[in-house]
Every structure is written in structure tokens, then in C-alpha cells.
Amino acid sequence: MYFCSKYKNWEHMTTSIDIARRIAEVNHPLSRESVHALAEILVCRKYRKGEIVLQAGEVCKSMLFIEKGMLRQFYYKYDKDLTEHIGYENGVIICIESYFKQEPTRLMVETLEASVVWELPRVEVEKLIDQYHDIERLYRGFIEHSLIESQVKADTLRFEPAHERYNKLLQTSSRDIEACASCVHRFLITDDSRNLEPCPFFLALELINQS
């Protein structure tokens, strides 16, 4: 067990045990032994707003559990910066193809506000799932959720206009996106025909530092 500390001016006393318990509460119950085993492999990272967590061309080696803050996955297409996914507190970020194939990703991950993130290293997680059946079920739940989420996104892109996608984001999000003072960019979705469809609700997903 350890405390997460990187920047001295951040007050943060959450331990790896606390986070392992939270992961279990949010996703799948774990035994006391499994909680402690999971806590042993967690790696805490702290980021300021606008920092890059994963660059395009790097290999995704960990799932990222968000204790605090907001992150996005994004990519560039036809010279446009396009948001793929937004993650909030108690959510998980994973570049799933890169994670399983251990090949460079085309996605990038950045913080949209100051964030505390806990890494679950793939190599260490796979060791645990061979030893603890409840951690195996927890892991399977992470992957199932990610795959279902990807399918839902694909369906919304096929069948729903931009304003419906944006409204759905507001309804399902645990965060008040419209209240973010630094939300200044439009949420853009593109398809292979190069048609860019801006969300008419112009305060959307990309947060940039104005200070």
C-alpha cells in the first residue's frame, strides 16, 4: 500500500487500498485478499490539465482508472482533432486494440482537467486473474463494458444526428459538461466521406487552458 504523491502542492491522501476498494464497489465485489492483491499492482499518476497521458504511436500497457478529473481519447483525421471518448471519476480508459495486441495505438489520451489516475498494468493484471477468480470476473467486466460501449458509439454514429448524441452524453454523464467554464470547442464527429458534423450545442467536449 502506498500514498499517491507527485506534485507537492496537491493534497492527496488516497491509498492504493482505497482505490482497489472503490474499483470493487463500482465494478465487481472482491474478497479482502483480492482487494489487497489488486492494490499491490496499482500505480498512481497525477496530471495537470492538458497533459498527454498516451501518445499516438505508443503502446497501451495499462487500463486507467480515473479517481479524479476528466480525460479524453482523441485522434486526428483529415487534419481535424476528433474526440473518441470522455472518461470521468470511477471510469476506465483503455485503448483496447493496442492493449490486447500490444501494438502502437492511433489514439491519444489527454487530461481535460487536473486528474488523478491509477494504472492497472496489463502484465500484472493477467497474473492476478490466474490466481483470483473474482479479479478475473472484474477484469472481464471491464472488457465487456468497453466492447459494449464501442458498439453503442458505432450505432449512434450510424443512426443518430449530432444534437441527439450530445444530449445523450449530457444525460448519461456523471459530470456537468455544460458547466465547465473552459469548454470552448465543438464536438466534431467525422466519417470516411470527410463529412464533418459539428454539434450545434457549441459548448462541448474539448477543454483547453485559457490561463
Side-chain angles (χ1 to χ4, degrees):
M1 181 184 74
Y2 65 90
F3 294 90
C4 180
S5 60
K6 181 178 178 182
Y7 301 122
K8 293 181 180 179
N9 59 332
W10 285 31
E11 294 184 2
H12 185 253
M13 298 298 292
T14 306
T15 68
S16 57
I17 290 287
D18 295 329
I19 295 303
R21 287 174 178 150
R22 188 188 298 185
I23 290 173
E25 289 171 2
V26 172
N27 296 278
H28 187 280
L30 296 179
S31 68
R32 185 176 183 276
E33 182 181 4
S34 295
V35 165
H36 283 262
L38 183 61
E40 288 296 317
I41 71 166
L42 294 173
V43 180
C44 183
R45 307 290 185 192
K46 288 188 175 183
Y47 299 95
R48 294 188 174 94
K49 178 181 176 180
E51 286 196 65
I52 297 296
V53 178
L54 183 69
Q55 288 275 13
E58 294 180 344
V59 175
C60 178
K61 297 180 179 180
S62 300
M63 292 185 289
L64 306 176
F65 179 82
I66 305 169
E67 177 193 348
K68 178 182 178 181
M70 185 186 302
L71 287 78
R72 71 163 180 152
Q73 287 176 315
F74 71 102
Y75 59 97
Y76 289 96
K77 189 170 186 180
Y78 309 131
D79 298 321
K80 296 293 183 180
D81 172 350
L82 304 172
T83 297
E84 170 79 10
H85 175 65
I86 298 289
Y88 316 94
E89 284 91 348
N90 297 327
V92 173
I93 293 280
I94 177 174
C95 298
I96 194 163
E97 183 178 11
S98 176
Y99 179 83
F100 281 111
K101 291 183 176 180
Q102 287 297 281
E103 295 177 352
T105 181
R106 291 178 289 182
L107 297 175
M108 301 175 69
V109 178
E110 74 168 346
T111 57
L112 300 179
E113 59 188 36
S115 301
V116 181
V117 176
W118 293 78
E119 296 179 356
L120 290 82
R122 177 177 179 266
V123 172
E124 300 301 324
V125 170
E126 292 189 349
K127 290 178 183 177
L128 291 184
I129 65 177
D130 289 336
Q131 302 176 50
Y132 303 95
H133 292 305
D134 50 356
I135 292 180
E136 179 184 8
R137 290 191 290 271
L138 174 78
Y139 183 65
R140 188 172 63 222
F142 281 147
I143 302 308
E144 287 176 354
H145 178 78
S146 181
L147 292 173
I148 291 170
E149 192 172 60
S150 296
Q151 182 64 56
V152 169
K153 287 176 187 172
D155 289 344
T156 60
L157 288 176
R158 293 186 185 105
F159 306 120
E160 297 179 7
H163 71 277
E164 289 185 12
R165 295 196 296 270
Y166 182 74
N167 286 333
K168 182 177 291 186
L169 173 67
L170 296 181
Q171 292 167 7
T172 59
S173 171
S174 61
R175 299 293 303 273
D176 186 358
I177 292 177
E178 289 186 312
C180 295
S182 56
C183 288
V184 294
H185 271 215
R186 295 185 178 185
F187 182 22
L188 294 175
I189 299 296
T190 188
D191 58 27
D192 290 333
S193 64
R194 295 181 178 236
N195 292 324
L196 290 174
E197 182 183 359
C199 174
F201 299 88
F202 53 88
L203 293 183
L205 298 179
E206 184 185 349
L207 306 185
I208 62 175
N209 193 346
Q210 296 295 306
S211 59

